[in-house]
């Protein structure tokens, strides 16, 4: 087996009607080969960095006899595979990538070249989306049902809201950043117990300040989901970003707490599992923006489409998390962050599967100092400067890694 150790992530659910067993995982001649005893539906592969691993998801397959040679992780421990997919994880002693993936003509085996690469090359390759492979059509098992995918109903408001204006250089090749001022219209968001200032006004002022600074940089184009005091359901907010094919979506908010001492900014990215109880509570509160008089304006729209939240979102979520860390780093000079500033929770507004998205809680409106800072022109400039710097570095990195 050389430098590789095979781990199998087994599924603990009953076998589907059609499934090939993975009979063997073999190494030799710089190749890795998976053998099946029956047809499988397809395969996909991607890299996981730190520790370096290669993951192979075999759709419509059971771990089978290969089970004997491997170690098992309980389902989900590796972040992962759905009920009809078996994940084979190659733990790498040295960085390597797969290439030339091909199924045999009868669909019963799958072979890759295993190429040693430098650590830097591996890291770059790990940022790429997964590679999908399919057996020859006549030797392909029926695609498995994705029983473990989470289907989120997405209301498609009718008529679709008009797309906002794009500001900045008239160069369509420049990245487009969509800034979303949280709340608006009959949804005021949180309200300061000291000054009565409303979150919806603060977020709009911040969004404008961020837009102005980004435009001044000359490096990106910018659009605001709202540039006045209007109500948008959460799906319309990220829907605008998706329809405009935005490269980055930043939803701007201000937090609130019963504890008036609580202060500092935090940045949230999407996860089905919240990083802590407070993050889960905040997501519940922010998601309530859709519910007016008990009617959920997002989910109950007559024309309902859906977005599958599954592993295809992994890449987007990684880019979002990278940007969240960068934003904290770049904005820390001018504003205060909480100690564990990057958190995760299930925010509806972050659920565009293909647009890297963060929710920026710029501070606590319930805290006197934070509220004054966020309502002041000086504070807004500092927030905007942090966002601008992070955005510039973010896109410079993206270009460098292409
Ligand atoms: Zn909010």
């Amino acid at each position: 087996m050389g430098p590789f150790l095979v781990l199998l992530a087994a599924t603990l659910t009953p076998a589907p009607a059609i499934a090939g067993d993975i009979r063997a995982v073999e190494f030799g001649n710089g190749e890795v080969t998976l053998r099946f005893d029956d047809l499988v539906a397809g395969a996909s592969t991607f890299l996981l960095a730190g520790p370096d691993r290669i993951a192979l998801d075999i759709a419509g397959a059971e771990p089978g006899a290969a089970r004997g040679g491997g170690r098992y992780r309980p389902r989900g421990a590796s972040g992962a595979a759905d009920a009809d997919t078996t994940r084979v994880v190659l733990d790498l002693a040295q960085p390597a990538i797969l290439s030339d993936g091909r199924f045999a003509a009868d669909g019963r085996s799958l072979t890759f070249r295993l190429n040693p690469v430098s650590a830097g090359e591996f890291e770059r390759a790990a940022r790429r989306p997964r590679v999908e492979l399919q057996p020859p059509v006549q030797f392909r098992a029926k695609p498995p049902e994705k029983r473990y995918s989470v289907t989120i109903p997405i209301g498609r408001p009718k008529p679709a809201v008009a797309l906002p204006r794009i500001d900045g250089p008239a160069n369509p090749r420049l990245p487009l950043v969509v800034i979303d001022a949280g709340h608006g219209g009959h949804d005021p968001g949180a309200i300061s117990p000291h000054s009565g200032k409303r979150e919806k006004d603060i977020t709009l002022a911040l969004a404008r300040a961020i837009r102005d600074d980004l435009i001044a940089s000359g490096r990106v184009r910018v659009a605001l989901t709202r540039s006045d005091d209007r109500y948008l359901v959460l799906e319309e907010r990220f829907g605008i970003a998706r329809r405009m094919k935005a490269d980055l979506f930043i939803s701007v908010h201000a937090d609130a707490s019963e504890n008036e001492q609580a202060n500092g900014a935090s940045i949230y990215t999407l996860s089905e599992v919240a990083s802590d109880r407070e993050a889960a509570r905040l997501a519940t509160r922010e998601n309530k923006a859709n519910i007016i008089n008990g009617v959920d304006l997002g989910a109950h729209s007559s024309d309902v489409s859906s977005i599958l939240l599954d592993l295809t979102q992994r890449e987007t979520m990684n880019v979002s998390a990278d940007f969240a860390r960068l934003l904290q780093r770049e904005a820390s000079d001018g504003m205060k962050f909480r100690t564990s500033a990057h958190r995760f929770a299930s925010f509806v507004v972050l659920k565009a599967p293909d647009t890297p998205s963060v929710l920026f809680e710029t501070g606590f409106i319930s805290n006197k100092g934070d509220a004054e800072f966020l309502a002041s022109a000086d504070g807004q400039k500092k927030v905007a400067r942090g966002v601008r710097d992070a955005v510039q570095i973010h896109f410079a990195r993206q270009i460098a890694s292409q």
Side-chain angles (χ1 to χ4, degrees):
M1 269 185 22
F4 306 99
L5 170 68
V6 179
L7 299 172
L8 294 175
T11 59
L12 302 175
T13 45
I18 301 174
D21 278 358
I22 300 175
R23 203 151 48 78
V25 182
E26 299 168 357
F27 297 89
N29 299 325
E31 292 188 331
V32 51
T33 300
L34 281 71
R35 298 194 186 281
F36 316 110
D37 72 351
D38 203 342
L39 302 184
V40 301
S44 63
T45 167
F46 58 92
L47 301 174
L48 297 155
D52 296 345
R53 284 154 294 163
I54 295 171
L56 288 148
D57 280 352
I58 313 299
E62 292 282 295
R67 214 180 261 267
R71 269 195 350 232
Y72 287 89
R73 292 180 191 176
R75 228 188 76 74
S78 57
D82 63 50
D84 296 301
T85 297
T86 293
R87 175 165 298 174
V88 177
V89 178
L90 311 180
D91 272 356
L92 301 172
Q94 61 197 62
I97 58 172
L98 297 181
S99 66
D100 304 326
R102 70 256 177 217
F103 275 94
D106 64 0
R108 302 299 172 97
S109 68
L110 171 61
T111 302
F112 294 89
R113 282 218 73 73
L114 201 47
N115 310 301
V117 292
S118 70
E121 278 172 278
F122 186 90
E123 207 170 295
R124 273 194 299 282
R127 291 165 147 271
R128 290 188 201 124
R130 63 170 63 208
V131 176
E132 309 273 351
L133 294 152
Q134 289 198 312
V137 69
Q138 67 274 34
F139 295 110
R140 191 181 301 164
K142 234 173 53 209
E145 294 171 47
K146 289 194 161 183
R147 271 176 284 171
Y148 279 75
S149 292
V150 183
T151 304
I152 311 287
I154 301 295
R156 192 184 296 149
K158 277 206 244 182
V161 289
L163 291 178
R165 186 184 75 219
I166 296 177
D167 290 316
N171 177 356
R173 286 202 308 250
L174 287 177
L176 174 64
V177 182
V178 169
I179 309 291
D180 173 48
H183 310 278
H186 53 67
D187 168 25
I191 295 171
S192 162
H194 307 284
S195 58
K197 287 218 181 313
R198 299 170 301 184
E199 185 183 355
K200 68 170 184 177
D201 301 318
I202 287 181
T203 59
L204 182 57
L206 285 168
R208 287 180 174 144
I210 293 167
R211 174 194 59 193
D212 293 348
D213 233 9
L214 284 174
I215 292 171
S217 79
R219 309 269 182 88
V220 293
R221 300 173 299 140
V222 188
L224 302 185
T225 54
R226 67 177 180 97
S227 49
D228 54 18
D229 184 21
R230 74 175 65 193
Y231 176 76
L232 293 168
V233 296
L234 299 171
E235 288 78 2
E236 286 170 325
R237 297 171 184 271
F238 72 73
I240 287 171
R242 291 194 79 198
R243 283 156 61 207
M244 297 179 92
K245 297 193 169 28
D247 299 284
L248 186 63
F249 176 78
I250 304 172
S251 188
V252 180
H253 288 259
D255 215 335
S257 169
E258 306 222 316
N259 169 13
E260 293 183 11
Q261 304 306 311
N263 67 89
S266 42
I267 304 160
Y268 289 82
T269 53
L270 180 65
S271 161
E272 284 311 304
V273 181
S275 52
D276 52 81
R277 285 233 300 280
E278 196 193 332
R281 266 202 301 272
L282 178 68
T284 307
R285 205 181 68 222
E286 296 290 11
N287 291 345
K288 273 199 185 122
N290 270 3
I291 301 171
I292 301 294
N293 297 331
V295 178
D296 188 336
L297 300 172
H300 294 170
S301 303
S302 54
D303 182 10
V304 172
S305 60
S306 67
I307 288 177
L308 275 181
L309 247 196
D310 65 16
L311 291 165
T312 56
Q313 242 180 356
R314 180 177 156 272
E315 174 75 3
T316 308
M317 288 160 88
N318 285 349
V319 177
S320 305
D322 285 348
F323 179 74
R325 284 188 285 270
L326 192 57
L327 177 54
Q328 183 188 354
R329 194 188 81 187
E330 292 304 312
S332 286
D333 284 349
M335 61 189 291
K336 195 165 170 267
F337 280 83
R338 308 180 67 191
T339 35
S340 54
H342 179 202
R343 295 158 180 240
F344 306 88
S346 182
F347 290 94
V348 171
V349 78
L350 300 180
K351 280 184 174 162
D354 37 18
T355 312
S357 306
V358 300
L359 186 139
F360 191 11
E361 294 280 354
T362 49
F364 279 82
I365 199 170
S366 48
N367 176 267
K368 203 159 179 285
D370 274 9
E372 278 166 11
F373 175 80
L374 294 174
S376 71
D378 181 53
Q380 288 162 8
K381 264 192 204 121
K382 284 179 170 150
V383 173
R385 200 170 311 141
V387 174
R388 178 200 64 194
D389 291 349
V391 164
Q392 286 191 13
I393 296 169
H394 172 74
F395 287 116
R397 277 183 185 172
Q398 300 260 299
I399 290 162
S401 72
Q402 270 162 16

